[in-house]
Amino acid sequence: MSPSQRYLPAIISIILLIRCTNPATPRDPATASGPQFTTTVLPVGKTPNSVETADFNHDGSPDLAIANDEDSSVYILLNNGKGQFSPAPGSPFFTNQHPNDIAIADFNKDGNPDLAIANTEVAELTVLLGNGKGGFAQAPHSPYKVYARPHTHGIAVADFNGDGRLDMATDDWGENKVSIVFGDTDLTFAHQTFYAVGKRPYQRLRTADLNQDGKPDLITTNLESNNSTVLLGQGNGRFLEAPGSPFPCGTAPFAVAIGDINGDGHPDLAITDAPTITSESKGHDGLFILLGDGTGHFQRLQGSPFATGKSPSRIAIGDLNGDGIDDIAVTNYNDKTVTIFLMNRSGVAATMTIQAGSHPDGICISDLNKDGKNDIAVTNQGDGTVMILLNK
């Protein structure tokens, strides 16, 4: 690597920090007291999609993991505690073909965060074991071939059968199922089982304790049946569909995030409707919100779906204006924008639009500079960059 290449991320960061300090453009006068951001853009790999955050080197600061589809790699950016990032030694790390979605967990119980990755275009899952310094290496039996037609897209990780070992869930979207791959002591992930969901659970699935019984559950977005399936975990590796599931959630539901967006202490679902992201879907893009009652049942928030930009592809939840209520941020893949929904206990209080790069896709929310305010990271597929939005 030449000196000019070595310092290119820092140079680009400084230039864009100077040029991009204008606040987000409000759509509503109520956003005058909303968050404002200072923007830094850093180059990563080719067609970055998922971005997730964790402290990979145990220095107390959240770092970033970015999946690069065309590079078949994950780019690790280490945080200096001020929201300034540099590549981890050895980064990027090989992920096998076309990494599409990332989950973070400690698979080998060494106290270091590891990465689980869904490899699209092939029916495989990859596990990369972290060394606690920001470095990663393939688990002994990785990648794991799974039965999924035609291939996998999303991934979720939890101990679904209560044996103390982490399991992985992915989509078998061609057969309208989710697949559970159970972990074991030597990380072979040899046992696989399936559960039926709605039609074409095409991109994301996520896990959380939706009925607050202490056991992890699963949520899928079903692109062709225009609904979301909630599978309630029984704690023994088995699942039962929640009463009332599947829940209608607009047209062509694509991505989902889980969080308490009305401050009632129960998990809610924020779902992007993205018919313009696939050629065969019909309908209107938007954000659909399902409010949970803590039993695994969900109902539509009045006003859903709410307007987004074109082709909302991914979604994140976190408090962005410091009012104690989680907000929602959506990347608009074909619009070069991010839409922020500022929430209150009654619903959407206001919206904001932030300019992004070409084909913004992955998004996460975390306090990246440890100032007590949540920040945003966004990947721009078309530019091969990640955009860091530090909350002023």
Side-chain angles (χ1 to χ4, degrees), residues 7-23:
Y7 294 106
L8 182 59
I11 294 169
I12 292 178
S13 172
I14 292 168
I15 293 171
L16 288 168
L17 182 62
I18 295 170
R19 293 181 179 174
C20 302
T21 54
N22 292 328

Side-chain angles (χ1 to χ4, degrees), residues 48-240:
N49 43 49
S50 291
V51 55
E52 300 294 342
T53 181
D55 182 5
F56 296 122
N57 60 351
H58 300 291
D59 66 353
S61 299
D63 308 308
L64 298 176
I66 298 160
N68 299 307
D69 178 82
E70 287 189 39
D71 282 349
S72 297
S73 71
V74 63
Y75 205 86
I76 303 297
L77 288 173
L78 299 181
N79 188 351
N80 69 355
K82 300 178 181 179
Q84 299 168 342
F85 293 85
S86 59
S91 181
F93 302 97
F94 180 63
T95 60
N96 303 302
Q97 296 182 57
H98 303 296
N100 185 68
D101 200 14
I102 299 174
I104 301 173
D106 183 5
F107 283 91
N108 58 353
K109 298 185 177 182
D110 65 353
N112 299 321
D114 308 313
L115 305 178
I117 295 167
N119 300 103
T120 193
E121 305 303 330
V122 291
E124 291 181 353
L125 303 177
T126 293
V127 171
L128 299 180
L129 300 179
N131 65 5
K133 300 177 182 179
F136 289 86
Q138 295 272 342
H141 303 282
S142 179
Y144 303 95
K145 293 191 178 297
V146 294
Y147 181 84
R149 295 183 60 188
H151 49 251
T152 59
H153 279 107
I155 192 166
V157 172
D159 180 6
F160 295 119
N161 60 357
D163 65 353
R165 296 286 175 180
L166 291 173
D167 312 306
M168 296 186 286
T170 190
D171 53 297
D172 178 13
W173 59 269
E175 297 183 331
N176 305 324
K177 298 175 183 177
V178 295
S179 166
I180 313 296
V181 186
F182 292 103
D184 41 38
T185 55
D186 56 358
L187 298 181
T188 57
F189 293 96
H191 178 55
Q192 185 177 9
T193 191
F194 300 88
Y195 286 88
V197 292
K199 192 173 182 181
R200 199 176 178 187
Y202 181 59
Q203 276 288 333
R204 310 287 170 250
L205 77 168
R206 292 292 181 257
T207 183
D209 183 6
L210 300 175
N211 61 348
Q212 299 177 298
D213 65 352
K215 301 165 186 175
D217 309 309
L218 283 170
I219 171 74
T220 68
T221 52
N222 307 313
L223 187 79
E224 291 187 9
S225 54
N226 298 327
N227 54 31
S228 294
T229 298
V230 172
L231 295 175
L232 299 180
Q234 306 303 294
N236 58 1
R238 297 183 179 181
F239 291 83
L240 295 175

